[in-house]
Every structure is written in C-alpha cells, then in structure tokens.
Amino acid sequence: MTLTNRHTSARQAALRQVAQLGPFLEGSLSPFKRPGCAQPGWHLTFKAHGRTRTLYVPMEMAAQVKQWTQNYRRLKKLIRQVTRHSRALVRGHVANRRAASRFRASTRP
C-alpha cells in the first residue's frame, strides 16, 4: 500500500512539469562580435567528452536555441526536486520500518 504524503505529491508535480517542458539542449548560448556586422553572431558552448566545444548557431535559430537551453536549466532544477523528494520517501520508509519494529518489540509479552 502506498501512502500519499507531501513528498509523493511534490514529486508527482515535478514529474508532470518535466513532461510539459518540450525540447531542451545542454549548453550556454552567447553572442560574439562579427567583423563588419552590427548584429552579434551566436555560439553554443557545451562539454563533450571532457572538452569544451563551441557550435555556431545561425541567427534565425538563436531564439529557438535560447529557449531550448532555458528548458535544459529548468529540467536540471526539476531533476533535483524529484531526487530530493525521492530521497525523503526512502528516509521516511526506513524510519517507519524502524518505528514499527520498535513498536512490535515493545508489545511482545
């Protein structure tokens, strides 16, 4: 039997938010000065195999890629929330089993 408590509810809420996130992309989007141009160019910087990599992002994709990187940061935050609540559920389960064990031991003749 599974009891619904605040950690179960909060974890479920965070998981629902994960499902609604949409596309995500790890990395940081940053502008760079292009010679002879008034508008900046855009680079996506990320780690791959322990090395920092940079990928040119076309101007027409910059807004979309920015949203994807924001979604990734939101995803990481939600993962931490789910993890925190899952750990709390494990700790609570262990504490409840210990308490039940102590109760059974104290009620024996």
Side-chain angles (χ1 to χ4, degrees):
M1 178 171 110
T2 305
L3 296 175
T4 301
N5 63 24
R6 68 185 173 103
H7 294 294
T8 303
S9 300
R11 183 175 66 170
Q12 288 304 110
L15 288 170
R16 281 191 297 274
Q17 290 178 34
V18 167
Q20 296 171 355
L21 258 183
F24 53 87
L25 178 62
E26 182 178 12
S28 297
L29 188 64
S30 49
F32 69 94
K33 176 76 174 122
R34 296 186 302 174
C37 292
Q39 291 184 330
W42 294 93
H43 279 157
L44 178 72
T45 305
F46 57 96
K47 288 281 192 176
H49 305 290
R51 300 189 64 161
T52 301
R53 302 290 184 190
T54 302
L55 177 66
Y56 172 76
V57 177
M59 287 290 291
E60 59 271 6
M61 288 191 73
Q64 189 176 28
V65 170
K66 182 177 182 177
Q67 181 63 51
W68 293 347
T69 58
Q70 288 172 346
N71 285 351
Y72 180 76
R73 284 192 292 279
R74 179 75 179 131
L75 175 65
K76 282 178 38 174
K77 183 178 175 184
L78 290 168
I79 288 170
R80 285 190 297 271
Q81 286 178 13
V82 169
T83 299
R84 186 177 67 242
H85 292 297
S86 295
R87 286 179 183 151
L89 288 169
V90 171
R91 278 191 300 272
H93 180 77
V94 169
N96 289 340
R97 286 187 57 188
R98 286 182 183 155
S101 174
R102 283 192 303 270
F103 176 74
R104 281 193 303 270
S106 69
T107 57
R108 288 187 187 155

